[in-house]
Amino acid sequence: MRRIGLRALAVPGLISLAILLVAVAVPLLPLADPVRQDVANRLAGPSAAHWLGQDEYGRDVLSRILWGARVSLSVAFAATAVAAVIGTLLGILGGYFRGVVELATVRVAEIVLCFPPLLLALLVVTLLGPGAGTLIFSLSILFAPGFARVAYGETLSARALDYVTAQEALGAPTGRILVRTLLPNIAAPLIVQFSLTVASAMVLESGLSFLGLGVVPPSPSWGLMIRGARATMEQAPLLLAWPCLALTLTVLLLNLLCDRLRDALDPRGRAAGRPGFLRRVLALPAAAAPGASVPGLLAVEGLTLQVPGPAGPVQVVRDVGFSLAPGETLAIVGESGSGKTLTGLAIMGLLPPAVTPVAGRILFTGRDGSVRDLLRLPEREMRRLRGRDLSMIFQDPSSSLNPLVRIGVQVAESLRAHGVAEGVKGRVVALLRQVGLPDPERQAMAYPHEVSGGQRQRVMIAAAIANHPRLLLADEPTTALDVTVQAQILALLAALKRAEGVMGMVFVTHNLAVVADIADRAVVMYAGEVVEEGPVAELFAAPRHPYTAALIASMPEGEADRLTAIPGAVPQPWAMPAGCRFAPRCAMAMEACGATSPALAEIAPGRATRCLRWKEMA
Amino acid sequence: MSAAREPLVRGEGLTRAFRRRAGLFGRGVPVMALRGVDVAVHRGEALGVVGESGCGKSTLGRVLLRLMPPTDGRVLFEGEDLAQQTASRLRVLRRRMQMVFQDPYGSLDPRRTVGAQIADGMVIHGLARGGEAREKVAALLRQVGLDPDHARRLPHEFSGGQRQRIAVARALATQPDFIVADEPVSALDVSIQAQVVNLLADLRAELGLALLFISHDLHVVRHLCDRVVVMYLGHVMEQGPAAELFRAPAHPYTRALLAATPSLRHRGGAANPLVGEVPSIAAPPSGCVFRTRCAMAQPRCAEGTPPLAPMPGAPARQLACHRAAELAP
């Protein structure tokens, strides 16, 4: 991301640098004197001696453009620099201290914004008389509030961050916090503001010079050149074109630089990848046609997902397989980076653009009894399945509901999207009642922000089960909730499972205790692979993979004085250990574990483990 | 009370109100995050503060460190009222009390090296600088189980668990007596949580630190803490020695909280999940704030707020419930 940003910066950055260098080096260049008049050759066209021609006093236009750039740029840069220093200072102080200081800094600066900028500049210039110094002074007054606003806004959001509070907790003096901690972290938008302001300062400088209120003749300036050329526009139109062109190109260039700078400094980077409808079919080898008789509801086989990495593609999910019977609840347990969420999203056909499936198949038995490979299903057909045969509950109920649409309407949408037209309202109320929303008739009219987090999750569940899905995928549905509410939602899901009978559920979570609560079977994932699988009761009572055993032992439920911690951290996807991926953290690892990658071995019906030494755990 | 029994940190009648703006020009209604909370942390003691979101546990931690002033009540550090201190004296006291935050990604400055951030406290308080500070940073990194060479790296080069270790090292750099840890493990992966919990337990034993451990995870609190305070909507509902409180929870809320916590040991979920959700803190119920969800609520619970009083038959424990007499073990 970072490197892409820098490359995009190179072109506008280098051209800007070249312009700046030329402006600095103008006195050293073999140019004609910009103020030496040659009235005999006034308005002469381009010639070998005067490449861009001569102006109304016979002065060299090229020389005047370059000298003018020097004046325009130095006025613009100086004014912007002064404005940046003053504005940033006011903004940081106002944003950090708030209250009276905010009133005295940011709010006072904002008063300047109430005046039309040109009028204010006219006022200052009229009072102080024209000249480059006055120009810089008036332009910096005009542009300082812009910096103050940006610095103020950024400071407000930065000061709420923990690392700023951490400095306060350390007892750091305020000045130190402002300079060492706040300033570097709000610098990026200020730099962007700087290049933007230079561009507008150049335009304003030219405008004021054009009006005769800026640079004093005969000093060259683009605004003065436009003013001079205007009088002779009919005889020598080119004279007007040159300074206009110089001004336009420079401003455009600065704006481009500013856009690229914004992209490069934004740590989130830009979204990359192909749109959804293209990605699914690419890079995926054809698989054997789904067999006529696949038992169960869902069978994931050899699923392998890949993302582009700095050194070639990286497999974030490798050879994952499991199956689900109707009415069964399967938990996928794992830590961050285990690939559990991506596996879930692959089933729904909702993989993010950067992730490509490269092998495997996902066989799903639809309502009509036909078996389809979800991994290869065209997006159009997938969309018909989603929300009807397949539905999903997300972790964060507040960001997965549309805040501007009433709750009832959102539940109704999922019904209407799949062809239900009759009695929608009654169905919605019945659904909301089924998920335990109190007073469903009235709550259906509420907006998402008017109900609590737990209630929002109930609404999400109501929308998900509206069409009696065959498969419900729940991705960490209780992680964002308080424990007492989590208990309610788990009880609700258990009740739904009983009511819906044939609905299968895949429950993605990191919480082993929740797995024990809700699931029939569990798949334990580590670093993109399934390491163990089995019925929940057996898995927890007698784990057959050291990772599962270590996870259980690390839960602070026992009476032991010290928790059994797993040393180290989950390996990064681009730096996977050669043999068994858990070996570097495993207490039972032996030499062979580092050399060969163990296969997932079935050790009993419905029970599998990926460990060379599982027999010793019995 | 003798000097030896004087707690290191004591909060008396702590109340903290926030203004929540109502409408575009509204004056704002005060939202009471803390209401008359009394709390004491003794030297070398680990006090756990548990409760659901909005119960005021994070506010309590910040008020005790005077990262925000209490609206009412006072905080005494070794008997000195923090509100009475001059800014420079407060800064000196800050050396002795530190904080570890929940989010190890947000609590470290992304643009400065880990070593510089750990050294900050030492430099600010004039404890060490230059080469001496570098040596101390290396020793601290070793103490929290990291490689001393890591000091030159930036935070984004570390995993969540490692960052939390760095945050702990930063807090330890000023040799504090008191650390507030606000949900220090809840943002970490399961396999990493145990590492950080063990680290905190070891450091406490080694350095004799007093620890205020704020968490919503009852299992972790039970494991790490000597004493526990259970909070609900800005009030303390129950407090007492961790072992007793978890073995025989007395307050209906504590009981419900324990029952709702999923466990590997009992399958099939909570027997009687608590109905409803935590009421809005802007409009808390009258009387006992828990009564709207309490299975034992009676008409009198709506009338007065029950005071936190020693539990009949167990003087080490305190309970805020109108029916305390019936709840005693």
Side-chain angles (χ1 to χ4, degrees):
Chain A
M1 273 305 148
R2 200 102 201 144
R3 288 203 354 243
I4 298 168
L6 286 181
R7 208 176 309 145
L9 260 182
V11 174
L14 284 178
I15 301 179
S16 310
L17 201 69
I19 291 182
L20 220 61
L21 276 179
V22 168
V24 171
V26 163
L28 306 174
L29 297 179
L31 288 169
D33 185 342
V35 293
R36 198 178 57 85
Q37 301 188 355
D38 177 9
V39 187
N41 288 313
R42 67 190 292 264
L43 303 178
S47 63
H50 306 282
W51 292 356
L52 299 185
Q54 288 162 285
D55 71 359
E56 72 273 20
Y57 296 112
R59 296 172 297 200
D60 180 51
V61 172
L62 176 65
S63 167
R64 285 184 70 79
I65 290 265
L66 294 182
W67 278 95
R70 191 179 160 87
V71 174
S72 296
L73 282 172
S74 58
V75 167
F77 269 97
T80 309
V82 174
V85 171
I86 296 174
T88 306
L89 190 70
L90 293 180
I92 289 190
L93 290 178
Y96 188 78
F97 292 104
R98 307 291 310 269
V100 186
V101 182
E102 179 184 324
L103 206 67
T105 55
V106 182
R107 303 292 165 226
V108 167
E110 277 172 357
I111 294 175
V112 174
L113 291 176
C114 303
F115 293 100
L118 206 57
L119 280 189
L120 191 74
L122 281 173
L123 187 73
V124 174
V125 174
T126 319
L127 286 176
L128 297 179
T134 315
L135 256 185
I136 292 174
F137 178 74
S138 57
L139 290 182
S140 51
I141 290 183
L142 273 175
F143 291 118
F147 284 97
R149 290 289 318 171
V150 173
Y152 170 72
E154 291 293 317
T155 306
L156 273 193
S157 52
R159 95 188 269 277
L161 293 176
D162 278 347
Y163 60 83
V164 179
T165 314
Q167 286 287 319
E168 288 171 26
L170 279 175
T174 310
R176 188 186 165 95
I177 297 178
L178 294 185
V179 176
R180 286 272 185 110
T181 307
L182 271 176
L183 195 57
N185 281 294
I186 65 167
L190 286 172
I191 292 172
V192 172
Q193 175 78 7
F194 189 92
S195 58
L196 204 63
T197 305
V198 169
S200 10
M202 288 192 68
V203 173
L204 207 55
E205 183 274 329
S206 300
L208 288 170
S209 297
F210 176 80
L211 293 174
L213 297 166
V215 177
V216 189
S219 297
S221 134
W222 293 346
L224 277 179
M225 290 177 74
I226 297 173
R227 177 189 162 103
R230 198 177 58 112
T232 57
M233 209 161 78
E234 277 155 23
Q235 296 106 301
L238 265 183
L239 284 186
L240 193 60
W242 296 127
C244 287
L245 205 62
L247 187 64
T248 311
L249 286 181
T250 312
V251 169
L252 281 178
L253 181 73
L254 281 171
N255 285 345
L256 180 68
L257 179 69
C258 163
D259 276 353
R260 297 281 168 86
L261 210 57
R262 190 184 353 239
D263 287 346
L265 292 172
D266 185 352
R268 284 167 300 178
R270 282 167 299 168
R274 304 181 197 91
F277 60 90
L278 276 179
R279 96 188 95 93
R280 297 164 47 80
V281 267
L282 291 173
L284 196 58
S293 62
V294 174
L297 178 63
L298 177 78
V300 177
E301 295 170 1
L303 178 69
T304 302
L305 304 174
Q306 180 173 289
V307 295
V314 170
Q315 291 186 353
V316 281
V317 166
R318 185 165 81 169
D319 194 19
V320 164
F322 51 82
S323 64
L324 184 73
E328 191 181 30
T329 299
L330 175 83
I332 306 182
V333 209
E335 301 176 76
S336 53
S338 64
K340 58 183 191 303
T341 295
L342 285 180
T343 304
L345 291 176
I347 297 172
M348 293 298 294
L350 293 174
L351 284 174
V355 184
T356 10
V358 287
R361 50 184 197 166
I362 299 173
L363 302 181
F364 175 69
T365 313
R367 209 183 291 269
D368 50 4
S370 67
V371 176
R372 273 172 282 206
D373 183 355
L374 299 183
L375 211 53
R376 289 172 181 77
L377 210 58
E379 178 64 24
R380 199 164 36 85
E381 286 182 46
M382 197 68 206
R383 202 172 296 147
R384 220 167 335 176
L385 283 183
R386 252 187 249 131
R388 197 173 58 121
D389 286 28
L390 297 166
S391 64
M392 182 161 184
I393 315 170
F394 297 88
Q395 170 170 352
D396 186 357
S398 26
S399 61
S400 19
L401 287 173
N402 183 342
L404 298 178
V405 178
R406 293 179 199 276
I407 284 170
V409 177
Q410 302 200 41
V411 177
E413 259 169 32
S414 59
L415 287 168
R416 291 211 179 89
H418 293 283
V420 181
E422 300 282 301
V424 170
K425 201 169 171 202
R427 286 273 299 276
V428 167
V429 171
L431 278 165
L432 291 176
R433 184 172 292 122
Q434 191 185 359
V435 297
L437 208 66
D439 197 0
E441 284 88 357
R442 242 191 46 215
Q443 295 281 53
M445 302 301 290
Y447 287 96
H449 73 267
E450 294 174 312
V451 301
S452 66
Q455 311 286 39
R456 280 196 286 264
Q457 196 59 291
R458 288 178 194 270
V459 174
M460 281 292 300
I461 294 173
I465 60 162
N467 296 304
H468 304 284
R470 303 262 299 155
L471 176 68
L472 180 66
L473 182 78
D475 187 3
E476 304 260 15
T478 61
T479 306
L481 305 174
D482 277 322
V483 276
T484 57
V485 182
Q486 166 172 288
Q488 294 167 9
I489 297 292
L490 290 177
L492 169 64
L493 288 174
L496 284 177
K497 225 175 68 175
R498 282 195 296 277
E500 296 282 324
V502 294
M503 180 182 80
M505 183 152 76
V506 173
F507 198 100
V508 177
T509 182
H510 70 280
N511 190 329
L512 289 178
V514 168
V515 173
D517 194 329
I518 189 136
D520 305 313
R521 280 191 312 123
V523 168
V524 182
M525 288 187 69
Y526 180 78
E529 292 181 332
V530 172
V531 292
E532 187 169 2
E533 185 190 344
V536 166
E538 282 180 43
L539 200 73
F540 288 152
R544 289 290 178 265
H545 192 282
Y547 176 63
T548 317
L551 269 188
I552 295 169
S554 72
M555 302 261 304
E557 288 199 24
E559 300 296 326
D561 264 0
R562 266 185 84 75
L563 300 178
T564 322
I566 308 177
V570 181
Q572 299 294 340
W574 54 88
M576 282 296 171
C580 167
R581 292 182 166 184
F582 186 59
R585 305 176 71 191
C586 181
M588 292 177 66
M590 51 182 192
E591 218 167 291
C593 298
T596 48
S597 184
L600 192 68
E602 183 155 10
I603 56 174
R607 208 73 169 86
T609 175
R610 192 187 289 276
C611 179
L612 294 175
R613 303 183 67 181
W614 68 268
K615 284 194 179 107
E616 293 163 56
M617 297 184 68
Chain B
M1 189 178 281
S2 73
R5 291 287 304 137
E6 172 67 22
L8 181 67
V9 186
R10 172 194 287 281
E12 290 176 349
L14 292 177
T15 297
R16 170 73 201 191
F18 294 97
R19 280 206 173 273
R20 184 177 288 175
R21 187 81 63 88
L24 200 53
F25 300 103
R27 270 275 297 141
V29 279
V31 173
M32 306 296 275
L34 286 181
R35 270 176 192 266
V37 171
D38 293 315
V39 70
V41 189
H42 294 268
R43 282 166 205 286
E45 180 189 48
L47 177 66
V49 181
V50 297
E52 296 176 276
S53 51
C55 75
K57 54 190 193 297
S58 288
T59 308
L60 177 64
R62 282 166 200 245
V63 165
L64 284 180
L65 290 180
R66 212 177 163 78
L67 289 174
M68 53 174 72
T71 313
D72 197 15
R74 55 184 196 153
V75 178
L76 304 174
F77 188 84
E78 282 187 331
E80 287 185 73
D81 186 347
L82 290 186
Q84 305 292 323
Q85 308 305 317
T86 60
S88 58
R89 172 71 185 145
L90 186 63
R91 211 169 287 143
V92 172
L93 285 176
R94 288 219 180 281
R95 179 187 77 70
R96 302 181 50 199
M97 38 191 191
Q98 288 298 326
M99 179 148 182
V100 176
F101 296 82
Q102 170 174 359
D103 175 13
Y105 294 86
S107 67
L108 296 174
D109 187 339
R111 289 166 203 272
R112 296 178 61 216
T113 65
V114 161
Q117 297 194 55
I118 296 175
D120 266 347
M122 295 186 249
V123 175
I124 291 165
H125 295 287
L127 301 175
R129 52 178 66 248
E132 194 192 350
R134 269 196 295 280
E135 270 169 40
K136 288 197 173 167
V137 167
L140 282 165
L141 282 170
R142 226 174 278 125
Q143 192 171 15
V144 298
L146 292 174
D147 189 337
D149 291 339
H150 288 168
R152 278 191 300 262
R153 299 197 189 166
L154 287 169
H156 71 85
E157 298 174 58
F158 296 91
S159 68
Q162 287 174 316
R163 286 183 202 217
Q164 203 57 300
R165 286 166 185 271
I166 292 164
V168 171
R170 175 178 61 184
L172 291 177
T174 59
Q175 300 164 329
D177 302 300
F178 177 48
I179 288 188
V180 171
D182 188 359
E183 302 261 14
V185 298
S186 36
L188 302 180
D189 267 321
V190 196
S191 79
I192 306 298
Q193 284 189 7
Q195 294 177 8
V196 174
V197 169
N198 280 344
L199 174 68
L200 287 172
D202 291 347
L203 290 172
R204 196 166 78 81
E206 251 170 66
L207 308 172
L209 289 171
L211 184 66
L212 188 83
F213 189 88
I214 299 166
S215 179
H216 68 276
D217 186 335
L218 298 183
H219 293 304
V220 175
V221 169
R222 175 184 206 163
H223 182 82
L224 191 67
C225 298
D226 308 311
R227 242 165 13 97
V228 180
V229 170
V230 182
M231 291 184 69
Y232 187 79
L233 279 183
H235 292 259
V236 174
M237 295 279 120
E238 178 171 5
Q239 68 159 308
E244 285 176 48
L245 190 137
F246 285 116
R247 198 187 58 243
H251 197 284
Y253 178 60
T254 316
R255 291 181 184 178
L257 204 55
L258 271 173
T261 306
S263 160
L264 288 182
R265 292 185 189 164
H266 48 84
R267 287 209 57 202
N272 303 305
L274 210 52
V275 291
E277 293 181 38
V278 183
S280 161
I281 193 156
S286 65
C288 171
V289 284
F290 183 58
R291 70 178 165 84
T292 51
R293 301 173 76 196
C294 182
M296 294 177 66
Q298 293 176 328
R300 65 171 160 162
C301 297
E303 277 151 30
T305 307
L308 189 68
M311 199 163 106
R317 298 175 66 175
Q318 288 179 309
L319 202 58
C321 181
H322 284 305
R323 302 181 68 179
E326 303 160 54
L327 296 168

